[in-house]
Amino acid sequence: MYGYMGKILRIDLSNGKITEEFPDENTLKMYLGGSGLATKYLFDEVKKGIDPLGPENKLIFMTGPLTGTTSPSTGRYSVVAKSPLTGIWGQANSAGFWGRDFKRSGFDGVIFENISPKPVYLVTDEGKAELRDAKHLWGKNTSETTRLIKEDLGKKFNISCIGIAGENQVKYAAVMNDCDEPNYGRAAGRCGMGAVMGSKNLKAIASRGTIKIEVANPEQYREEAKQRYEWVNQSLLKMTIEVYGTAAVVDITNNLGGFPTKNWQTGVFKGADKINGTTINETILVERKPCFACPIACGRICEVKEGPYKSKGEGPEYESLGALGSMCEVDNLEAITLAHFLCNEYGLDTISTGNTIGFAMECYDKGILTKEDTSGLELNWGNADLIIDLVHKIGKREGIGNMLAEGTKRMAEKLGKNSIKFAMQVKGLELPAYDSRAAKITGLAFATANRGGDHITAYIEGPAFLAMPFLIVDEADIGDPLQEIPETTKVVKEFEDAFGIFDAIGGCKFMGMVLTGEDWASLISKLMGYEFTVKDFRKTGERIYNLARIFNIREGITRADDTLPARLLEEPMPEGPAEGHVVNLDPLLDAYYEYRGWDKNGKPTPEKLKELGLDWVINQI
Ligand code: SF4
């Protein structure tokens, strides 16, 4: 099969045994690769009810067929496992360059099984794979781990690894890659994949390779990829996101009254102009940084030149500005930037980290957490130094950080006193920085996303908040964002299916704003050597989406879990353009289930499963 290296590693960490395998052609056509193929492995091999941090969980790294090729922004890889944060299907995805280097080292993916008796790291190098002792790396953060491995193996190796947070099994620890300088790195951030890696005593994967990725129609593929690259290079997306980074979104969401502030008590942040893209450009931006084969360069290298927050590193992104900034009522850009850099170092998901700190601040404000719980720390709103202190404590599981390391849902369950009503999570995953009271359809997307409260499963914030054209579906009109319009739920379904393909092929979802489903179907056809139509593009995405849903249903997920925090359903927005609004979810959910071909309880019908070629799962739910 073209586009693949033809080898997936299977590593039994309990005894160090390494084998190679590869799926049959039909499986590849059904699930493509990346998180699609990894989800198939997870579904087949991980039994219902197992402990995500125990030996029975599998940790799967998977590239896609387009990863490392010349199509625009195709450096991505996925990490899939049962999530320790949510207890359901877990997936995280990252760009940078490691995905390319791992694939060119001769492998499409790797499945880790069981637990190593001692810390190890995997080396993949020009078609060979071996486990090495990682004792000297244990206790080191991401950039130090990267530096030490490069010292051992040479500068040409690229590293994906965990920091101290992953070792400590912080429930939302990230897997980081490309941490070549202190504070640098790209994150496979969500769902605690770094904690699963830590639970397996696996510190890193170091990869180097020059093995060619075979393409079915090389000339046509190169030509088409080059043309699409140029289209992206001349797009509106590039003009905005390259210039201001994802921080461009701060002003947009804030002006619409949907920038979550003070643990989502309001959607209007008075300090937005101190942390927005313009301020970053004028104060701390050093350079813009692209991922592999990307014309956009949305990454930022920033530097705080002096003072208590003096530091240089990669970030901050929009989500970090929301989570570590407005959600905690912090408007000190330099402090937020340092907190983000520290998350890169410890290997922490900034979205869950910031949300959890904001939740703790509200608990403290309401007397649910006291100075006795915090060892004397005052968790006051807007305290910039506190954010930094708490990131350290979470990463080390030190003091109150040990409780925060469990995430908002577990904290609320422990603290009680109705705190679950303002724990801003869905299915245990902390929400991104878009308040659904200001754009109702996003509430449906957060409620139904397979990995929990997530914004890039459907990416519906594009049309709902940003008015960005998303070209990968024919119709992306969501009408008045402040109204619940059941017909528009079809857009959520279409987006979920289409964006699932990006995670399966190894592409960046930003490209969905510029290139169409036809563009991607054509590139896939030229690469893989068989006709892959737009219909296949949508159907494959729908199949993968439904399989992850079935995984979750097998774990006990029902309609009751497809919901939002009570704050969004019951507490009217107090001010701004969305003043007085809550989300009325039920009519949206009913319509969405119908478009999906699911029953009233959110379960795919046997007919739908048969249509998708998933009839083999019918008796498993
Ligand atoms: S758009 Fe941004 S995140 Fe996506 S590949 Fe390009 S630089 Fe990386």
Side-chain angles (χ1 to χ4, degrees):
M1 291 286 285
Y2 293 97
Y4 300 97
M5 308 313 283
K7 286 182 196 170
I8 290 172
L9 292 164
R10 185 179 290 273
I11 302 183
D12 184 342
L13 289 164
S14 67
N15 56 22
K17 190 175 163 207
I18 300 178
T19 53
E20 291 174 4
E21 62 190 61
F22 200 59
D24 60 44
E25 196 175 318
N26 186 45
T27 304
L28 292 174
K29 285 186 171 172
M30 298 264 287
Y31 305 98
L32 292 174
S35 73
L37 188 57
T39 299
K40 173 73 166 67
Y41 276 109
L42 194 78
F43 189 91
D44 287 345
E45 299 187 14
V46 168
K47 290 203 176 70
K48 173 187 174 173
I50 59 118
D51 174 5
L53 298 174
E56 293 158 301
N57 202 4
K58 308 252 169 142
L59 178 69
I60 306 169
F61 286 68
M62 197 69 76
T63 62
L66 270 72
T67 305
T69 68
T70 51
S71 284
S73 312
T74 48
R76 288 192 168 262
Y77 69 102
S78 280
V79 191
V80 171
K82 182 174 174 181
S83 163
L85 184 64
T86 63
I88 55 174
W89 179 76
Q91 184 255 1
N93 185 281
S94 181
F97 292 83
W98 182 83
R100 172 201 67 180
D101 294 332
F102 172 79
K103 187 168 171 185
R104 289 187 187 171
S105 77
F107 306 98
D108 297 289
V110 51
I111 303 163
F112 292 101
E113 305 180 334
N114 291 315
I115 291 176
S116 170
K118 57 175 191 178
V120 289
Y121 73 102
L122 174 68
V123 180
T124 66
D125 183 11
E126 303 289 6
K128 297 195 190 74
E130 65 167 321
L131 285 174
R132 290 199 176 197
D133 191 354
K135 197 167 152 219
H136 63 303
L137 305 174
W138 212 252
K140 302 283 190 283
N141 271 333
T142 55
S143 69
E144 184 67 353
T145 299
T146 303
R147 188 184 69 74
L148 288 169
I149 292 178
K150 287 190 177 213
E151 236 172 63
D152 288 349
L153 304 175
K155 282 202 163 43
K156 288 209 166 144
F157 278 84
N158 201 347
I159 293 55
S160 173
C161 66
I162 54 170
I164 293 171
E167 293 176 14
N168 287 335
Q169 299 175 27
V170 173
K171 293 285 191 317
Y172 42 88
V175 175
M176 303 291 301
N177 56 277
D178 293 87
C179 307
D180 295 309
E181 305 275 344
N183 302 323
Y184 277 46
R186 287 269 162 179
R190 306 238 69 194
C191 298
M193 297 296 99
V196 179
M197 197 158 161
S199 76
K200 295 195 174 302
N201 267 331
L202 176 67
K203 183 67 180 173
I205 307 176
S207 301
R208 171 179 73 171
T210 53
I211 300 175
K212 199 172 161 214
I213 301 164
E214 295 296 338
V215 177
N217 299 303
E219 270 174 38
Q220 282 177 312
Y221 184 71
R222 204 178 312 115
E223 254 330 284
E224 229 170 83
K226 196 172 150 209
Q227 188 187 52
R228 301 311 188 266
Y229 186 97
E230 273 314 308
W231 290 353
V232 177
N233 204 27
Q234 292 162 19
S235 66
L236 181 64
L237 175 73
K238 181 173 167 86
M239 286 171 213
T240 48
I241 296 291
E242 184 178 70
V243 176
Y244 294 105
T246 52
V249 177
V250 168
D251 287 333
I252 301 170
T253 45
N254 198 50
N255 290 339
L256 292 169
F259 191 42
T261 299
K262 213 176 173 187
N263 196 37
W264 302 66
Q265 291 184 53
T266 173
V268 180
F269 184 44
K270 307 241 169 355
D273 60 347
K274 295 186 183 161
I275 65 169
N276 63 13
T278 311
T279 304
I280 288 178
N281 283 9
E282 287 171 356
T283 57
I284 57 171
L285 180 68
V286 176
E287 62 176 295
R288 300 171 170 90
K289 193 175 172 215
C291 301
F292 168 71
C294 183
I296 298 291
C298 78
R300 317 274 93 178
I301 304 299
C302 288
E303 182 174 14
V304 179
K305 289 210 164 68
E306 55 191 9
Y309 310 115
K310 188 173 182 312
S311 53
K312 186 179 177 192
E314 193 160 359
E317 316 297 338
Y318 168 72
E319 289 297 338
S320 308
L321 294 162
L324 298 161
S326 62
M327 289 186 203
C328 304
E329 239 191 353
V330 170
D331 62 6
N332 184 325
L333 177 62
E334 295 183 352
I336 297 168
T337 301
L338 177 57
H340 176 105
F341 293 166
L342 289 169
C343 286
N344 287 349
E345 281 292 341
Y346 280 103
L348 283 167
D349 173 21
T350 58
I351 299 178
S352 286
T353 303
N355 259 288
T356 306
I357 295 172
F359 172 72
M361 285 174 157
E362 186 164 352
C363 286
Y364 186 79
D365 202 11
K366 289 185 156 66
I368 297 169
L369 270 175
T370 65
K371 268 192 186 177
E372 273 175 29
D373 302 306
T374 64
S375 313
L377 268 188
E378 292 185 31
L379 307 190
N380 293 329
W381 298 110
N383 184 341
D385 291 333
L386 179 73
I387 307 293
I388 290 159
D389 191 18
L390 287 177
V391 171
H392 283 297
K393 284 187 162 53
I394 292 168
K396 293 176 185 164
R397 277 192 176 268
E398 193 180 272
I400 186 66
N402 192 37
M403 187 195 272
L404 268 65
E406 294 295 302
T408 52
K409 186 171 180 224
R410 282 186 179 79
M411 276 184 74
E413 283 163 1
K414 184 167 178 189
L415 294 170
K417 301 188 177 163
N418 264 333
S419 57
I420 193 70
K421 288 198 163 199
F422 56 86
M424 303 311 292
Q425 50 75 38
V426 171
K427 301 184 180 81
L429 187 69
E430 284 73 22
L431 287 167
Y434 297 92
D435 193 312
S436 301
R437 289 170 292 187
K440 307 297 179 65
I441 196 73
T442 62
L444 175 75
F446 300 161
T448 56
N450 277 323
R451 64 179 179 178
D454 175 50
H455 59 304
I456 53 172
T457 299
Y459 234 142
I460 200 71
E461 308 76 44
F465 274 103
L466 314 179
M468 284 303 269
F470 268 88
L471 305 178
I472 45 155
V473 297
D474 298 333
E475 181 60 64
D477 183 9
I478 54 107
D480 179 355
L482 285 172
Q483 302 301 316
E484 289 86 351
I485 309 170
E487 295 74 32
T488 61
T489 62
K490 188 164 187 286
V491 184
V492 174
K493 176 211 174 280
E494 298 294 334
F495 273 30
E496 287 167 342
D497 293 346
F499 281 118
I501 292 293
F502 286 79
D503 287 340
I505 61 177
C508 181
K509 291 178 179 178
F510 275 134
M511 297 303 110
M513 293 188 199
V514 184
L515 303 178
T516 64
E518 282 80 359
D519 289 322
W520 290 105
S522 179
L523 284 165
I524 294 168
S525 300
K526 304 287 182 319
L527 176 79
M528 299 177 69
Y530 63 88
E531 199 191 0
F532 190 86
T533 64
V534 182
K535 209 171 149 206
D536 295 328
F537 181 88
R538 308 213 186 292
K539 191 60 79 187
T540 308
E542 190 178 7
R543 179 180 305 118
I544 294 167
Y545 198 85
N546 275 265
L547 187 61
R549 176 74 179 182
I550 298 290
F551 183 94
N552 287 347
I553 289 171
R554 198 168 67 178
E555 293 292 337
I557 290 294
T558 67
R559 179 182 178 123
D561 300 289
D562 290 345
T563 189
L564 293 170
R567 173 153 286 162
L568 302 184
L569 299 172
E570 296 168 6
E571 280 182 34
M573 181 69 84
E575 59 183 324
E579 185 177 345
H581 280 268
V582 293
V583 183
N584 181 14
L585 194 59
D586 272 332
L588 297 178
L589 212 48
D590 285 334
Y592 170 82
Y593 286 168
E594 207 173 319
Y595 281 123
R596 275 235 164 265
W598 296 355
D599 67 18
K600 289 263 174 219
N601 295 314
K603 199 163 147 183
T605 59
E607 295 73 34
K608 174 52 76 178
L609 293 173
K610 273 185 203 147
E611 179 198 315
L612 295 172
L614 293 174
D615 30 339
W616 53 276
V617 304
I618 290 173
N619 57 8
Q620 298 205 39
I621 52 171

